[in-house]
Amino acid sequence: MSTLKQTLQHDLTEAMRARDQVRTATLRMALTAVTTAEVAGEHHELTDADVLKVLTKEAKKRTDAVEAYQAAGRPELAEVEEAERAVLEGYLPAQLDDAAIDALVAEAVTETGATGMPQMGQVMKAAQAKAAGQAEGGRIAAAVKRALAS
């Protein structure tokens, strides 16, 4: 069992003991998502990197939900989603700033030898591997477009 999954299970137990309803519900949801990912396709144990991908995906869902609820004029529901996202972000690596992403993309452009937009896919693949979950794909894509356009 991955150590991150064990951490989630331990923290769930602690949250239940502390009667922290938001944290308990969020960690239950996260562990359910991890279990679903484990049994999807062929049954296998997820690595820490795989668990991080699941948690990143769940945090992104919360971000999207916050935006949707705010646009719909439902601030009380947006607050709940925001609280859940905050719990999930406690388990994710720190996000890179724009300057670090630009440097990472410049390095990927150099490695791939890309000269224009037709090689964007190659650069994206290299840059996302370097970012290792520390930056959203959209932010990386924007930086790649800027780098290849100049």
Side-chain angles (χ1 to χ4, degrees), residues 38-108:
E38 286 177 337
V39 298
E42 58 184 70
H43 183 74
H44 66 285
E45 193 73 31
L46 296 182
T47 64
D48 276 352
D50 294 332
V51 173
L52 271 178
K53 286 179 186 175
V54 171
L55 293 178
T56 301
K57 186 176 179 181
E58 292 298 319
K60 174 102 172 80
K61 286 181 188 178
R62 298 302 167 283
T63 301
D64 294 344
V66 167
E67 292 170 6
Y69 285 138
Q70 287 174 342
R74 299 294 306 266
E76 70 283 359
L77 295 176
E79 287 177 22
V80 171
E81 296 292 334
E82 186 69 44
E84 288 180 0
R85 184 178 68 188
V87 170
L88 291 171
E89 286 177 347
Y91 296 95
L92 299 176
Q95 294 292 300
L96 297 173
D97 63 356
D98 289 339
I101 292 173
D102 288 340
L104 186 137
V105 167
E107 196 176 304

